[in-house]
Amino acid sequence: GSSRILRSMNKRFGPEEVRRDCRTLRRHGIGTMGFLLLGGPGETRESVLESLRFADSLDIDALKITAGVRVYPYTRLAEIAAKERVVSRDDDLLMPRFYLAESLGDWLGETLEEWMAERANWMF
C-alpha cells in the first residue's frame, strides 16, 4: 500500500492500480484475496500503517499478511541483507531466510494482532 516501499521492492505497480483491479474483479463477481508483505528494507511504522489502511480500504474477501520478506539469491534484497548481515554472502539461501526491517521490532507483531482482532478475514 506504500508507493515508496513498492518502488524500493522493484514492484511495477502502485496502490491505485491495485485499487482499480480490485474494483474490476468485484464488478465481475470474482473473489479477491490480497497479499501484504511487510518489513522490507526501508519499511517504517508510517509505511506499515499506510499499507494496513490501504488494505483495509479495499473491498477484498481476504488478506494474507507476512512479516518479513524472503531473501532469494542474486537479488537486490540479497545484497541488502548481506550488507546488513542478515545473511552471509556465502549463504546459498536454499533454506528460506527472511529480511525484517530492524526498526519495526516488537511493534509490528503487536500492531498486526490489534488490526486482525477486528478483521476476521485477515490472516497472519
Side-chain angles (χ1 to χ4, degrees), residues 63-123:
L63 179 69
K64 170 71 171 132
I65 302 172
T66 60
V69 180
R70 181 159 180 195
V71 180
Y72 287 98
Y74 312 109
T75 62
R76 183 169 171 257
L77 181 57
E79 286 298 315
I80 292 169
K83 187 183 298 184
E84 294 182 14
R85 299 178 188 224
V86 173
V87 299
S88 163
R89 292 197 186 277
D90 298 335
D91 194 339
D92 63 16
L93 300 174
L94 289 177
M95 294 301 292
R97 301 288 300 280
F98 293 86
Y99 179 98
L100 182 62
E102 212 174 299
S103 63
L104 299 177
D106 293 334
W107 174 87
L108 182 58
E110 294 167 4
T111 300
L112 292 178
E113 284 181 22
E114 289 173 17
W115 276 72
M116 292 185 350
E118 299 175 13
R119 295 158 182 87
N121 62 333
W122 287 26
M123 298 162 272

Side-chain angles (χ1 to χ4, degrees), residues 16-85:
E16 286 313 309
E17 290 166 290
V18 172
R19 185 179 308 286
R20 180 199 65 220
D21 293 346
C22 286
R23 281 193 305 256
T24 299
L25 292 167
R26 177 66 59 202
R27 190 171 55 248
H28 292 284
I30 299 171
T32 53
M33 180 172 182
F35 295 90
L36 188 58
L37 304 173
L38 300 173
E43 191 85 76
T44 63
R45 288 180 185 215
E46 292 77 22
S47 63
V48 166
L49 291 173
E50 179 182 5
S51 294
L52 291 172
R53 286 190 296 267
F54 175 74
D56 206 28
S57 75
L58 299 173
D59 184 19
I60 58 178
D61 299 306
L63 179 69
K64 170 71 171 132
I65 302 172
T66 60
V69 180
R70 181 159 180 195
V71 180
Y72 287 98
Y74 312 109
T75 62
R76 183 169 171 257
L77 181 57
E79 286 298 315
I80 292 169
K83 187 183 298 184
E84 294 182 14
R85 299 178 188 224

